[in-house]
Every structure is written in structure tokens, then in C-alpha cells.
Amino acid sequence: MDKNTVVELPAAGGEVETLLGVLERNRRTFAWKCGGLDAAGMNVRLSPSTMTLGGLVKHLALVEDDMFSHRLYGRDPGEPWNRIDWDSDPDWEWRTAADDSPEELMQLWEGAVQRSRASVAEALDNGGLGTVGYLVWPDGQSPNLRRMLADMIEEYARHTGHADLIRESIDGLVGEDAPREVPAS
């Protein structure tokens, strides 16, 4: 599935189709809110927050790789995440996004989304939504794929709201649903 593939949210679909449809709709809307901007646009802040669209893009790339590589399978999340000392720089992705071009940020995010789609497809093929992840919470429980998808949907919903406000302040772009095909950044 490429970035322009539209996964429809079914009116009366099953659990897998509904969860994946909601996640893909959120990803598509997020890409629309962050796409097509220059470096200045990606670095706009709404006071008093220090959040930027570039920071949001880099953060969600991290969350994608962390959720569906590390938490689901215990795999190394890959570059650039595996070379960061997160204990000494827990906000690295937010802080360093201004150093990256819009194209680099969107490529990082799109690559993470592609890896996530492959990991989710693998889990669905091998155990379905009940696939238990590698991550163990402090209480000894491990979330399953169903919970991880719900958490990812929540992450996108929250941050797409942030992106919506920032983007409107830049050029007035508003709306809830992305076009069928999100233009490349």
C-alpha cells in the first residue's frame, strides 16, 4: 500500500477493517495538514507552545517505528532512533526537526508508516489483532495489536488537532477530510 492508497473506513466493516480504516484516514489527514510547506511553514509556532509541524512529523515517525517495530516485535527501531541517547535528550525529535528539510521530514515519516504497515500486516497474518506485543508494562501485562492500533489512532487524532490549528495559522487551510490523493510534499 503506498501513501496515496485510500483505505476506506467501512460503514459496517469488521474490526480489522475499521481499525485500519480509521488509522489510515488519520494518517492521510495528518499528511494533508503537514504537506506542501517550506521550512518556514514547518517551523511556525503558536505561542506559548513550542510545537511545530516539523516536530509533529518527526515525533509521529518516531511513534510509528517505536510502536510497530519495538513495542510489537522487540525489533531495533532503526535510524535515526537507535543512535539517540533518549535519557539525556528525551525531546530530541521535537528539538531537531528544525534541522531537517520538509522533504527529509516527510520521507522519514512516510518510511516509518510503510514499515508500520508491513509490521501490522505481518502480525495480522500471524495472529490477528490478539497478537501480543513484546513490550511488557510495569504491571506485567503486554498490550496486543488491537490495543496498539487504538493507541496509534489516539496519537494521530491528538496531533492532527495540533497540526490543524498550526496549519490554519499559516495559510488558512482547514477541513476534516484530506483529498483522496494527498499531494507529495
Side-chain angles (χ1 to χ4, degrees):
M1 178 176 1
D2 69 28
K3 69 179 179 180
N4 291 320
T5 300
V6 175
V7 176
E8 290 296 329
L9 178 58
E15 187 177 13
V16 170
E17 297 81 15
T18 299
L19 285 168
L20 294 180
V22 171
L23 179 56
E24 290 299 332
R25 181 174 62 187
N26 275 276
R27 285 172 172 156
R28 192 168 52 252
T29 302
F30 179 77
W32 175 48
K33 296 296 178 173
C34 296
L37 294 172
D38 61 12
M42 291 297 268
N43 288 299
V44 166
R45 295 177 176 173
L46 296 179
S47 185
S49 176
T50 60
M51 188 179 295
T52 65
L53 291 175
L56 285 166
V57 170
K58 201 165 190 177
H59 172 71
L60 282 170
L62 167 62
V63 174
E64 289 271 5
D65 277 330
D66 181 59
M67 184 73 71
F68 297 119
S69 290
H70 179 69
R71 293 179 187 212
L72 180 58
Y73 285 114
R75 296 175 181 154
D76 182 328
E79 291 286 332
W81 322 120
N82 61 3
R83 59 182 167 80
I84 308 307
D85 179 356
W86 294 104
D87 291 332
S88 66
D89 198 355
D91 294 327
W92 178 85
E93 78 276 22
W94 296 100
R95 184 182 57 72
T96 63
D99 300 335
D100 301 319
S101 72
E103 296 78 20
E104 290 169 324
L105 290 166
M106 294 307 287
Q107 287 172 358
L108 181 68
W109 176 75
E110 290 166 358
V113 168
Q114 290 300 326
R115 288 185 294 278
S116 292
R117 287 177 179 146
S119 291
V120 168
E122 179 184 345
L124 289 171
D125 286 346
N126 293 325
L129 292 172
T131 299
V132 175
Y134 168 83
L135 175 72
V136 178
W137 288 339
D139 67 1
Q141 295 184 72
S142 293
N144 62 20
L145 178 60
R146 179 182 295 103
R147 171 61 188 264
M148 291 180 190
L149 287 169
D151 287 349
M152 186 61 75
I153 290 166
E154 179 184 16
E155 187 81 9
Y156 270 100
R158 179 175 49 255
H159 290 317
T160 299
H162 296 131
D164 192 40
L165 292 171
I166 297 170
R167 183 60 186 255
E168 183 178 6
S169 78
I170 295 168
D171 62 9
L173 185 135
V174 295
E176 294 180 20
D177 292 316
R180 291 300 230 183
E181 289 192 17
V182 176
S185 53

